[in-house]
Amino acid sequence: MFVGSDVNGINPGTFDMSGGTLDVGDDITVGDTVMGTMTMSNGAASTADDFILNTKSSLTMTGGTLRVGDRLTTAGNANLFVDGGELTVDDDFFLFGDARATVDSGSIIVHDKLRFDDDVLRTGKMTINGGVVRSNEFGYVDVSDVHILRGIVEINGSGAYQVEAFNPGPISSSPVSQLSVPYAQQLIADGYFITSELAPLSLVATSIVVPEFDGRTNVAFTQISLVPEPASATGLLLTGGLLLRRRDLLS
């Protein structure tokens, strides 16, 4: 299924889904030879294969459910916006180049990797202002055996990003692809996870249990979200500020 496919490369394509059911036996491609725009406010849509969001094209979800049977890929300068509903990806979710993904409410559930690719300048960005983004792995690019995380995840408000927890053992994933709490804290410190919120809010990584994921129950995840700084720390900051101000007045 193509949204935005004009052999003359002139007329953009649009598709609006406000209810009903759409089952596509292969790919959904938004933006083929021209710009494509897909909006979804209700109903249930699914693909048997990939969902491809090409350059300068967009998908906006405000409700309903969309299940991608294989991979979701967003090209450079593409925009994905979720403000309600549930987007489920059975395999990987790739953000290429300077693609943008924004979640204000609802959820994106990725059963394999969420991965930024091919942009050494880290211009790709996912912003989570509310709702949940959950993935089995947080992808990385392996260049000469050096793990390079490309792209930025910004978390604000009630938004949360959850990655299946790293569980070392006889069979284990890379600590980069499945996150331990200490490694997630390091990624926050290194600026891969950021926030626009002001103190006393700050990003922290915590351990949580998700009741069901990928056919398994009670699955351990590492969650990155905002929490207030401890009251004692805030009190010390305020007290310090008052003391400094008093000294200024007395001097």
Side-chain angles (χ1 to χ4, degrees):
M1 171 180 163
F2 292 95
V3 179
S5 181
D6 180 0
V7 293
N8 297 313
I10 299 173
N11 299 304
T14 60
F15 178 77
D16 178 43
M17 184 169 180
S18 57
T21 302
L22 173 68
D23 295 314
V24 179
D26 199 350
D27 300 338
I28 293 179
T29 301
V30 181
D32 184 31
T33 54
V34 291
M35 182 178 69
T37 301
M38 179 173 173
T39 59
M40 185 173 184
S41 58
N42 207 342
S46 65
T47 74
D49 204 350
D50 299 335
F51 189 106
I52 302 162
L53 194 60
N54 275 322
T55 300
K56 297 182 180 179
S57 297
S58 64
L59 166 64
T60 299
M61 284 188 69
T62 55
T65 61
L66 171 59
R67 187 171 198 106
V68 179
D70 198 358
R71 291 178 171 178
L72 169 61
T73 62
T74 56
N77 205 23
N79 284 283
L80 168 65
F81 180 67
V82 177
D83 190 13
E86 181 174 295
L87 171 57
T88 302
V89 184
D90 286 344
D91 202 328
D92 300 325
F93 176 10
F94 290 114
L95 291 99
F96 289 101
D98 58 351
R100 293 287 186 269
T102 303
V103 181
D104 281 353
S105 66
S107 62
I108 298 178
I109 309 298
V110 182
H111 288 281
D112 203 340
K113 291 182 289 293
L114 189 155
R115 176 170 167 169
F116 296 92
D117 265 333
D118 85 351
D119 184 9
V120 295
L121 299 178
R122 293 167 56 192
T123 55
K125 188 176 183 182
M126 170 172 279
T127 303
I128 311 169
N129 298 315
V132 173
V133 177
R134 180 181 301 146
S135 66
N136 169 252
E137 298 180 24
F138 181 59
Y140 65 93
V141 177
D142 197 330
V143 180
S144 300
D145 295 323
V146 177
H147 295 143
I148 302 174
L149 295 168
R150 294 176 173 172
I152 298 294
V153 179
E154 179 175 331
I155 300 173
N156 301 309
S158 60
Y161 181 47
Q162 302 168 350
V163 188
E164 189 164 349
F166 175 58
N167 184 21
I171 300 176
S172 62
S173 296
S174 161
V176 179
S177 59
Q178 289 186 323
L179 295 186
S180 65
V181 168
Y183 194 81
Q185 292 282 30
Q186 186 61 51
L187 292 177
I188 294 170
D190 290 343
Y192 290 98
F193 290 91
I194 63 173
T195 184
S196 295
E197 303 284 4
L198 302 177
L201 294 175
S202 61
L203 287 176
V204 298
T206 55
S207 296
I208 65 167
V209 174
V210 172
E212 191 280 330
F213 181 76
D214 204 22
R216 294 169 288 145
T217 58
N218 298 324
V219 184
F221 273 76
T222 295
Q223 174 172 286
I224 301 173
S225 60
L226 285 163
V227 299
E229 293 176 353
S232 57
T234 305
L236 286 172
L237 288 172
L238 290 172
T239 303
L242 290 172
L243 286 173
L244 286 172
R245 179 60 179 159
R246 186 176 180 185
R247 286 173 182 167
D248 289 342
L249 292 172
L250 293 174
S251 60

